[in-house]
Amino acid sequence: MFNYYLQLAVKSLKRTPITTLLMVLAIACGIGISMTALTLFYMTNTNPIPEKSTQLYALQLQASGKTTTWSTHDNVPVQITYQDARNLTRAMPELRHTPMFKTGFSVRSLKPEFTPILQTARVTNRHFFSMFNIKFLYGSAWNKTVDENPTLQVVIDDKLNQKLFGGGNNVGKEILLDNKQYQIVGIIENWQPKPKFYDLNNGGFQDAEQVFIPWILSSVHELPSWGNNNGWKSERITSYDEKRESENLWLQYWVELPSAQEKENFQQFLMGYVAEQKKLARFEREDARGVLRNVEQWLDYNKVVSDDSYVLVAVSFMFLAVCLVNSIGLLLAKFLRSAPSVGVRRALGASRGQVFAQHLVEVGLLGLIGGIVGLLFAVLGLSLLKSNFDGFDFVASMDLTMLIAAPVIAISATVLAGIYPAWRVCTTLPSIYLKTQ
């Protein structure tokens, strides 16, 4: 029966090509706009590491001056000082925790003809890779000894490996970062978490770094921060050593706490650390404290998905509703024009339910066509966003979920919109039209 209804639906749509085209375009425009907004919202709201999002914690310290204010809702800075990072790194070695910051280099292979590439780099320790589940294609992270003794070793990603060497296993080879030779100890797969949750300072959808070097090298080679640097205290800083010992906040800090007990223990340790720093008169505030937030809490805290995104999705679906209202009018006119033939079918024995089902199949087919065309509109819209605006490279793309959602939403919305026109035509009295024949 469904196939028969489908054949009738195709014939009906072909009989009124202009009306069909107008309805398809109306539905497609609504689906295209709404799916574009929904895709941006969905991609920005995705958990970048769901398997460990409740085990990884961003660490904050309320360690600023008594009257200092920050832009966060609880007035706690999102970064910490170098000396706090150094102190925390030495504590609780049984746990995996890592300080980090962004820097950058001119990168090239040892071949003289190779043109240097300007690359951002992440300064961190060996735990970074295991904490964030980063997979190695070749080699591994540097070992514990390198974290404690400055050694010029580096991990790169496969994208940079392709640029430098054309790909393959190049562990053991050396590259130049500025004017220093680093030995490659590991090559990771291309890693691009969306959002870039571990460092949200310059936006949640920036490129991840392709170069990773040991944190201990930062003091030896005085590596500059390419990220945000926040100060709250008037300090004379004329050298890297002075910056390291200052109250400037420029490092991110993450800790992995797999169990509730380990989280409790770490929080106890933080309370002790804060109390100790208050005695040393470093932490001036009465509400000085350490704060831990897991990945989802951290994304929410930093408003990675802004309130504007919710408004944008709501407005786009309101536009879809307007398009469907217009389609209802066209459907009603179309169905009522076919009322005489419906009256004949009813007189020949077709029930109201059968007439209603037949027209809903036609509406569903219309929604499917509109959904497919709308999907093409959405893909075009996302491509335009990526090509004309910065920051959309990683969020303006549809995954399988969104590709399936578009026709499903289109069919569902169109069928809902088509219930009234289908009901009106199925309530047609056969006697009225039979008298006119």
Side-chain angles (χ1 to χ4, degrees):
M1 188 61 76
F2 177 78
N3 290 336
Y4 175 63
Y5 289 160
L6 197 58
Q7 290 173 7
L8 291 178
V10 172
K11 288 180 181 178
S12 174
L13 294 178
K14 284 182 177 178
R15 273 199 301 271
T16 54
I18 302 297
T19 305
T20 301
L21 179 62
L22 289 174
M23 289 189 290
V24 167
L25 287 177
I27 296 168
C29 287
I31 290 295
I33 296 293
S34 57
M35 288 308 300
T36 300
L38 187 62
T39 298
L40 294 175
F41 177 81
Y42 170 78
M43 295 302 289
T44 55
N45 205 26
T46 300
N47 188 335
I49 186 167
E51 69 277 14
K52 295 182 78 173
S53 64
T54 58
Q55 301 176 19
L56 297 172
Y57 292 86
L59 185 149
Q60 296 171 264
L61 289 173
Q62 178 47 290
S64 49
K66 291 179 180 177
T67 59
T68 307
T69 59
W70 302 92
S71 59
T72 52
H73 68 77
D74 59 354
N75 199 29
V76 179
V78 296
Q79 299 190 110
I80 66 174
T81 65
Y82 187 98
Q83 51 181 321
D84 286 323
R86 180 184 57 207
N87 296 339
L88 294 170
T89 303
R90 293 170 179 168
M92 303 186 77
E94 70 277 14
L95 296 176
R96 292 194 287 200
H97 40 139
T98 178
M100 64 178 85
F101 67 92
K102 183 169 70 175
T103 187
F105 299 97
S106 170
V107 182
R108 65 184 179 89
S109 69
L110 298 186
K111 293 180 179 178
E113 67 274 17
F114 191 92
T115 304
I117 308 168
L118 189 64
Q119 289 284 345
T120 57
R122 181 123 311 246
V123 183
T124 184
N125 67 20
R126 70 187 187 285
H127 294 312
F128 179 88
F129 306 97
S130 55
M131 286 175 64
F132 298 132
N133 285 353
I134 302 174
K135 296 178 181 176
F136 278 83
L137 298 175
Y138 307 104
S140 62
W142 52 84
N143 58 37
K144 182 180 178 181
T145 304
V146 175
D147 269 337
E148 297 168 350
N149 300 285
T151 307
L152 295 179
Q153 294 188 349
V154 63
V155 170
I156 63 175
D157 79 346
D158 191 48
K159 188 175 180 180
L160 183 59
N161 184 42
Q162 295 284 343
K163 292 178 183 175
L164 293 170
F165 304 107
N169 185 357
N170 293 293
V171 170
K173 291 185 179 178
E174 293 186 326
I175 60 174
L176 283 168
L177 302 184
D178 287 345
N179 58 352
K180 295 183 176 60
Q181 288 188 212
Y182 285 71
Q183 184 187 41
I184 298 172
V185 294
I187 299 172
I188 63 171
E189 64 178 12
N190 295 328
W191 185 62
Q192 183 59 63
K194 298 180 287 187
K196 187 185 171 185
F197 63 97
Y198 60 90
D199 182 2
L200 297 168
N201 282 290
N202 298 112
F205 298 96
Q206 302 296 313
D207 291 340
E209 295 78 15
Q210 299 176 27
V211 178
F212 304 86
I213 62 172
W215 184 62
I216 197 169
L217 292 174
S218 62
S219 56
V220 178
H221 298 295
E222 301 187 351
L223 301 175
S225 167
W226 281 25
N228 286 359
N229 293 258
N230 308 113
W232 57 271
K233 189 175 183 179
S234 179
E235 297 175 289
R236 185 176 181 275
I237 302 175
T238 58
S239 67
Y240 199 85
D241 285 341
E242 288 178 346
K243 181 174 182 178
R244 284 194 305 144
E245 302 306 320
S246 74
E247 297 299 337
N248 259 324
L249 299 98
W250 49 292
L251 287 97
Q252 305 83 51
Y253 204 96
W254 284 82
V255 56
E256 182 176 348
L257 303 168
S259 68
Q261 185 59 53
E262 285 171 307
K263 182 183 177 185
E264 175 64 25
N265 293 342
F266 195 80
Q267 286 177 320
Q268 291 292 329
F269 159 73
L270 276 182
M271 290 174 62
Y273 178 75
V274 169
E276 179 186 337
Q277 296 304 311
K278 288 176 76 171
K279 286 181 182 176
L280 295 173
R282 275 197 62 223
F283 293 4
E284 301 177 357
R285 302 175 67 105
E286 288 298 320
D287 62 345
R289 64 191 186 280
V291 181
L292 296 174
R293 287 187 170 87
N294 67 30
V295 175
E296 289 188 292
Q297 292 168 338
W298 183 243
L299 295 176
D300 183 56
Y301 180 77
N302 285 277
K303 295 187 180 300
V304 172
V305 181
S306 66
D307 294 339
D308 293 345
S309 299
Y310 293 94
V311 174
L312 181 62
V313 171
V315 170
S316 68
F317 274 86
M318 288 171 64
F319 179 75
L320 174 60
V322 171
C323 294
L324 290 173
V325 167
N326 285 308
S327 297
I328 290 174
L330 292 170
L331 274 172
L332 190 59
K334 173 183 167 62
F335 286 173
L336 290 180
R337 275 201 304 272
S338 65
S341 63
V342 171
V344 173
R345 288 192 59 209
R346 290 286 315 282
L348 294 174
S351 67
R352 285 184 178 179
Q354 289 172 323
V355 173
F356 184 74
Q358 175 210 326
H359 285 85
L360 278 191
V361 170
E362 182 175 338
V363 169
L365 178 61
L366 196 63
L368 177 62
I369 299 171
I372 292 172
V373 178
L375 186 60
L376 296 177
F377 285 177
V379 171
L380 177 63
L382 293 171
S383 299
L384 290 174
L385 282 175
K386 279 198 287 189
S387 59
N388 291 288
F389 299 98
D390 295 331
F392 285 93
D393 290 347
F394 304 110
V395 296
S397 58
M398 285 187 164
D399 63 5
L400 183 60
T401 303
M402 287 292 103
L403 290 173
I404 295 173
V408 170
I409 292 174
I411 293 172
S412 304
T414 311
V415 168
L416 283 173
I419 288 177
Y420 176 68
W423 176 79
R424 280 290 306 273
V425 76
C426 79
T427 56
T428 298
L429 294 175
S431 57
I432 295 176
Y433 295 100
L434 288 175
K435 288 178 183 177
T436 64
Q437 299 299 311

